[in-house]
Amino acid sequence: MEENNFEVNSFWGYQNASSDSYSHLLFGNSYENLKELIKNPMDNNLEIRHLSRAIYSMSGLYSNIIDYMTSLLTLDRIIISKSKSEKKRKNNKAKMEMCLKKIKDKEFIRDMLFRAMLDGIAVS
């Protein structure tokens, strides 16, 4: 059975960093100010995330890197059943594949990877 896969990496629903009080991060910011933001990423987390999102929407190179790193993993599934019976193994494998397909595991993982790459967060 051939499986059609229509995974798409998209970026929807974020506040534009060039609006409101974040425009100073993009325009007229010096190298020294950016170094100060990066020195203390925990305190400047919000500003760094907004800066990353704005650069993603403006820079083709940056967005291509984020998209490439997100899609780099193949997300292949290896399902192992510990049942002794061949019939039970096949049945358990089919149930697990159906469950993973129902929860759209690949789309969920891709979304988590994208947000981790874009926002620079660790997901555990």
Side-chain angles (χ1 to χ4, degrees):
M1 184 169 112
E2 185 177 320
E3 179 182 333
N4 291 332
N5 192 349
F6 302 105
E7 288 186 52
V8 176
N9 292 327
S10 59
F11 186 57
W12 299 98
Y14 72 96
Q15 180 185 4
N16 189 353
S18 61
S19 66
D20 296 338
S21 62
Y22 301 107
S23 61
H24 70 282
L25 294 174
L26 286 174
F27 308 109
N29 211 342
S30 70
Y31 178 71
E32 295 300 321
N33 289 345
L34 293 176
K35 275 180 32 179
E36 289 300 317
L37 282 175
I38 295 171
K39 276 184 185 177
N40 196 352
M42 295 305 285
D43 289 341
N44 301 316
N45 188 342
L46 183 63
E47 290 85 3
I48 292 171
R49 282 189 289 146
H50 280 283
L51 182 60
S52 176
R53 291 173 181 191
I55 293 170
Y56 180 84
S57 65
M58 287 196 276
S59 170
L61 177 63
Y62 187 71
S63 62
N64 284 345
I65 290 170
I66 297 291
D67 291 343
Y68 174 75
M69 295 297 290
T70 301
S71 64
L72 193 60
L73 301 174
T74 60
L75 303 180
D76 293 333
R77 299 179 183 130
I78 299 174
I79 300 172
I80 300 171
S81 177
K82 296 186 178 190
S83 297
K84 301 287 184 203
S85 165
E86 180 70 26
K87 186 178 177 182
K88 261 191 166 179
R89 279 198 302 266
K90 285 183 180 181
N91 192 19
N92 288 342
K93 183 177 179 182
K95 285 179 184 177
M96 190 64 199
E97 285 174 344
M98 185 182 68
C99 179
L100 290 172
K101 187 175 180 179
K102 191 170 188 170
I103 64 171
K104 300 178 182 178
D105 64 319
K106 287 186 179 185
E107 293 172 24
F108 176 73
I109 298 296
R110 288 264 184 246
D111 186 49
M112 285 181 30
L113 287 170
F114 176 75
R115 296 205 180 272
M117 299 289 172
L118 187 65
D119 291 342
I121 57 172
V123 180
S124 59

